[in-house]
Amino acid sequence: MNFKGFLFDLDGTLVDSLPAVNRCWTQWGERHALSAEVVLDYIHGKPAIDSLRHFMRGESEAAIQAEFHWLEQREARDTQGIREIAGARALLTQLNEQNIPWAIVTSGSVPVAHARHRAAELPLPAVFITANDIRRGKPDPEPYLLGAERLGLHPSECVVVEDAPAGIAAGLAAGSAVIAIDPAADTPGLNQVLFNLPDLSTLKITQNDTGAFSLSLRA
């Protein structure tokens, strides 16, 4: 299959931020007498505000927004240990050299997403979709539909690269090919993904004369 562009999730796909995510959300759970297991089992791949509304169901929007602000400040400051996923920087550099369009499509807010992107020292995308740009977060396909639109591509021309169940579901629902990065074994839809990889180091791009590309794996 030939494609024209990439839509990358950020956390767990380009950036290993799991320790920081877990630290911040565990601290938030402690404030609300929620165990880390319960909180961390739910939040990955979803916009923070959606997760807060889930756990704070019945509370006022003002209270939810106050907790969002508290959490956002901590997540934007806590970049300790954040690094690139293996192969991410090299892959993005190659895309830029070959003029292949790519975007970051994350559930994180602007301060959090940009702080983690900088901490991992990754190239800057031309299109950077965050939770601030969307109304419906993953697993809804809206984020990836918007990412494809801003690249000037049809979703079927794009490869979505994701790690979380919500993101994989969003990519598939958008009609894009999906590459799963180190997903949980019980993630729904894994039988529909193009590749299931531990990281990005083995992904090989072969570009043709029209600028479209095909994907394979290095030995």
Side-chain angles (χ1 to χ4, degrees), residues 7-11 13 42-47 50-51 104-108 129-131 134-144 160-171:
L7 302 171
F8 293 95
D9 177 46
L10 184 63
D11 296 284
T13 301
Y42 184 83
I43 57 111
H44 291 293
K46 303 181 181 74
D50 291 353
S51 295
I104 290 177
V105 182
T106 176
S107 294
I129 304 294
T130 71
I134 59 171
R135 293 174 299 167
R136 298 179 300 277
K138 305 170 188 176
D140 191 278
E142 181 188 340
Y144 284 119
V160 165
V161 188
E162 263 285 359
D163 69 309
I168 291 171

Side-chain angles (χ1 to χ4, degrees), residues 153-206:
L153 299 174
H154 191 274
S156 64
E157 297 176 311
C158 297
V159 179
V160 165
V161 188
E162 263 285 359
D163 69 309
I168 291 171
L172 292 172
S176 300
V178 175
I179 295 174
I181 302 298
D182 195 26
D186 60 352
T187 298
L190 286 184
N191 62 330
Q192 301 176 58
V193 305
L194 191 61
F195 296 119
N196 182 343
L197 305 175
D199 54 46
L200 294 166
S201 61
T202 60
L203 192 62
K204 180 180 179 181
I205 299 170
T206 303

Side-chain angles (χ1 to χ4, degrees), residues 88-170:
R89 191 178 301 117
L91 176 60
L92 299 181
T93 299
Q94 179 186 358
L95 296 181
N96 286 340
E97 290 172 349
Q98 295 180 297
N99 294 314
I100 295 174
W102 63 279
I104 290 177
V105 182
T106 176
S107 294
S109 66
V110 167
V112 176
H114 286 202
R116 291 174 181 168
H117 178 268
R118 286 193 302 270
E121 299 181 338
L122 296 176
L124 189 66
V127 173
F128 203 140
I129 304 294
T130 71
N132 302 73
D133 297 300
I134 59 171
R135 293 174 299 167
R136 298 179 300 277
K138 305 170 188 176
D140 191 278
E142 181 188 340
Y144 284 119
L145 295 175
L146 180 60
E149 178 185 335
R150 291 195 179 172
L151 287 182
L153 299 174
H154 191 274
S156 64
E157 297 176 311
C158 297
V159 179
V160 165
V161 188
E162 263 285 359
D163 69 309
I168 291 171

